[in-house]
Coordinates of all heavy atoms in Angstrom, one line a residue:
V188 N 6.2 6.7 18.2 CA 5.4 7.9 17.9 C 4.7 8.4 19.2 O 5.0 9.6 19.6 CB 4.3 7.6 16.8 CG1 3.5 8.8 16.5 CG2 5.0 7.1 15.6
S189 N 3.9 7.6 19.9 CA 3.3 8.1 21.1 C 2.7 6.9 21.9 O 2.2 5.9 21.2 CB 2.2 9.1 20.8 OG 1.6 9.5 22.0
T190 N 2.7 7.0 23.2 CA 2.0 6.0 24.0 C 0.5 6.3 24.1 O -0.2 5.5 24.7 CB 2.6 5.9 25.4 OG1 2.7 7.3 25.9 CG2 4.0 5.4 25.3
K191 N 0.1 7.5 23.6 CA -1.3 7.9 23.7 C -2.1 7.5 22.5 O -1.5 7.4 21.4 CB -1.4 9.4 24.0 CG -0.8 9.9 25.2 CD -1.2 11.3 25.5 CE -0.3 11.9 26.5 NZ 0.4 13.1 26.0
G192 N -3.4 7.5 22.6 CA -4.2 7.3 21.4 C -4.7 5.8 21.2 O -4.2 4.9 21.9
H193 N -5.8 5.7 20.4 CA -6.4 4.4 20.2 C -6.0 3.7 18.9 O -6.1 4.3 17.9 CB -8.0 4.7 20.2 CG -8.8 3.5 19.9 ND1 -10.1 3.6 19.5 CD2 -8.6 2.2 20.0 CE1 -10.6 2.4 19.3 NE2 -9.7 1.5 19.6
I194 N -5.4 2.5 19.1 CA -5.0 1.8 17.9 C -5.8 0.5 17.8 O -6.0 -0.2 18.8 CB -3.5 1.4 18.0 CG1 -2.6 2.7 18.2 CG2 -3.0 0.7 16.7 CD1 -1.1 2.4 18.4
E195 N -6.2 0.1 16.6 CA -6.7 -1.2 16.3 C -5.9 -1.9 15.2 O -5.4 -1.2 14.3 CB -8.2 -1.1 15.7 CG -9.2 -0.6 16.7 CD -9.6 -1.7 17.8 OE1 -9.5 -2.9 17.4 OE2 -10.0 -1.3 18.9
M196 N -5.6 -3.1 15.3 CA -4.8 -3.8 14.3 C -5.7 -4.6 13.3 O -6.4 -5.5 13.7 CB -3.8 -4.8 15.0 CG -2.6 -5.2 14.2 SD -2.9 -6.1 12.7 CE -3.3 -7.7 13.3
I197 N -5.8 -4.1 12.1 CA -6.5 -4.8 11.1 C -5.6 -4.9 9.9 O -5.1 -3.8 9.4 CB -7.8 -4.0 10.7 CG1 -8.7 -3.8 11.9 CG2 -8.5 -4.7 9.5 CD1 -10.0 -3.0 11.6
P198 N -5.2 -6.1 9.4 CA -4.2 -6.2 8.4 C -4.7 -5.7 7.0 O -5.9 -5.3 6.8 CB -4.0 -7.7 8.3 CG -5.2 -8.3 8.8 CD -5.8 -7.4 9.8
C199 N -3.8 -5.6 6.1 CA -4.2 -5.4 4.7 C -4.7 -6.7 4.1 O -4.5 -7.8 4.7 CB -3.0 -4.9 3.8 SG -2.3 -3.3 4.3
G200 N -5.2 -6.7 2.9 CA -5.7 -7.9 2.4 C -5.3 -8.1 0.9 O -4.5 -7.3 0.4
T201 N -5.9 -9.1 0.3 CA -5.7 -9.3 -1.1 C -6.9 -10.0 -1.7 O -7.7 -10.5 -1.0 CB -4.4 -10.1 -1.4 OG1 -4.1 -10.0 -2.8 CG2 -4.5 -11.6 -1.1
D202 N -7.0 -9.9 -3.0 CA -8.1 -10.5 -3.7 C -7.8 -12.0 -3.9 O -7.1 -12.3 -4.8 CB -8.3 -9.8 -5.1 CG -9.5 -10.2 -5.8 OD1 -10.0 -11.4 -5.6 OD2 -10.0 -9.5 -6.7
I203 N -8.4 -12.8 -3.1 CA -8.0 -14.2 -3.1 C -8.7 -15.0 -4.3 O -8.3 -16.1 -4.6 CB -8.3 -15.0 -1.8 CG1 -9.8 -14.9 -1.4 CG2 -7.4 -14.5 -0.7 CD1 -10.1 -15.8 -0.2
Q204 N -9.7 -14.3 -5.0 CA -10.2 -14.9 -6.2 C -9.2 -14.7 -7.3 O -8.9 -15.6 -8.1 CB -11.6 -14.3 -6.5 CG -12.7 -15.2 -6.1 CD -13.0 -15.0 -4.6 OE1 -13.0 -13.9 -4.1 NE2 -13.3 -16.1 -3.9
R205 N -8.8 -13.4 -7.5 CA -7.9 -13.1 -8.6 C -6.5 -13.7 -8.4 O -6.0 -14.4 -9.3 CB -7.7 -11.6 -8.6 CG -6.5 -11.2 -9.5 CD -6.4 -9.7 -9.6 NE -7.5 -9.1 -10.5 CZ -7.7 -7.8 -10.6 NH1 -7.0 -7.0 -9.9 NH2 -8.7 -7.4 -11.4
F206 N -5.9 -13.5 -7.2 CA -4.6 -14.1 -6.9 C -4.8 -15.6 -6.4 O -5.3 -15.8 -5.4 CB -3.9 -13.3 -5.9 CG -3.5 -11.9 -6.4 CD1 -4.2 -10.8 -6.0 CD2 -2.5 -11.8 -7.3 CE1 -3.9 -9.5 -6.5 CE2 -2.1 -10.5 -7.8 CZ -2.8 -9.4 -7.5
G207 N -4.4 -16.5 -7.3 CA -4.6 -17.9 -7.0 C -5.5 -18.6 -8.0 O -5.9 -19.7 -7.8
S208 N -5.9 -17.8 -9.0 CA -6.8 -18.3 -10.0 C -6.2 -19.2 -11.0 O -6.9 -19.9 -11.8 CB -7.5 -17.1 -10.7 OG -6.5 -16.3 -11.3
V209 N -4.9 -19.3 -11.0 CA -4.2 -20.1 -12.1 C -3.0 -20.9 -11.5 O -2.4 -20.4 -10.5 CB -3.7 -19.1 -13.2 CG1 -2.7 -18.1 -12.7 CG2 -3.1 -19.8 -14.4
D210 N -2.8 -22.1 -12.0 CA -1.7 -22.9 -11.5 C -0.4 -22.6 -12.2 O -0.4 -22.0 -13.2 CB -2.1 -24.4 -11.5 CG -2.3 -24.9 -12.9 OD1 -1.5 -24.6 -13.8 OD2 -3.2 -25.7 -13.2
Q211 N 0.7 -23.2 -11.7 CA 2.0 -22.8 -12.2 C 2.2 -23.2 -13.7 O 2.6 -22.4 -14.5 CB 3.1 -23.4 -11.4 CG 4.5 -22.9 -11.7 CD 5.6 -23.5 -10.9 OE1 5.6 -24.6 -10.5 NE2 6.6 -22.6 -10.5
A212 N 1.7 -24.5 -14.0 CA 1.9 -24.9 -15.4 C 1.2 -24.1 -16.4 O 1.7 -23.7 -17.4 CB 1.5 -26.4 -15.5
T213 N -0.1 -23.7 -16.0 CA -0.9 -22.9 -16.9 C -0.3 -21.5 -17.1 O -0.2 -21.0 -18.2 CB -2.4 -22.8 -16.4 OG1 -2.8 -24.1 -16.0 CG2 -3.3 -22.2 -17.4
A214 N 0.1 -21.0 -15.9 CA 0.7 -19.6 -15.9 C 1.9 -19.6 -16.9 O 2.1 -18.6 -17.6 CB 1.1 -19.2 -14.5
R215 N 2.7 -20.6 -16.8 CA 4.0 -20.6 -17.6 C 3.7 -20.7 -19.1 O 4.3 -20.1 -19.9 CB 4.9 -21.8 -17.1 CG 5.5 -21.4 -15.8 CD 6.6 -22.4 -15.4 NE 7.3 -21.8 -14.2 CZ 8.5 -22.1 -13.9 NH1 9.3 -22.9 -14.6 NH2 9.1 -21.6 -12.8
K216 N 2.6 -21.5 -19.4 CA 2.2 -21.6 -20.8 C 1.8 -20.2 -21.3 O 2.2 -19.8 -22.4 CB 1.0 -22.6 -20.9 CG 1.5 -24.0 -21.3 CD 0.4 -24.9 -21.7 CE 0.8 -26.3 -21.5 NZ -0.2 -27.1 -20.8
L217 N 1.0 -19.6 -20.5 CA 0.5 -18.2 -20.8 C 1.6 -17.2 -21.1 O 1.5 -16.4 -21.9 CB -0.5 -17.7 -19.8 CG -1.9 -18.4 -19.7 CD1 -2.6 -18.0 -18.4 CD2 -2.7 -18.0 -20.9
L218 N 2.6 -17.4 -20.3 CA 3.7 -16.4 -20.4 C 4.9 -16.9 -21.2 O 5.9 -16.2 -21.4 CB 4.3 -16.1 -18.9 CG 3.3 -15.4 -18.0 CD1 3.9 -15.3 -16.6 CD2 2.8 -14.1 -18.5
G219 N 4.8 -18.1 -21.7 CA 5.9 -18.7 -22.6 C 7.1 -19.0 -21.8 O 8.2 -18.8 -22.3
I220 N 7.0 -19.4 -20.5 CA 8.1 -19.8 -19.7 C 8.2 -21.3 -19.7 O 7.3 -22.0 -19.2 CB 8.0 -19.2 -18.3 CG1 7.9 -17.6 -18.4 CG2 9.1 -19.6 -17.4 CD1 7.5 -17.0 -17.1

Side-chain angles (χ1 to χ4, degrees):
V188 182
S189 179
T190 51
K191 296 191 198 124
H193 175 197
I194 304 176
E195 292 284 334
M196 204 293 287
I197 301 178
C199 295
T201 195
D202 183 338
I203 58 171
Q204 262 79 42
R205 166 178 288 170
F206 292 104
S208 55
V209 61
D210 62 44
Q211 191 179 38
T213 314
R215 287 191 171 205
K216 264 192 205 134
L217 288 167
L218 297 175
I220 298 169

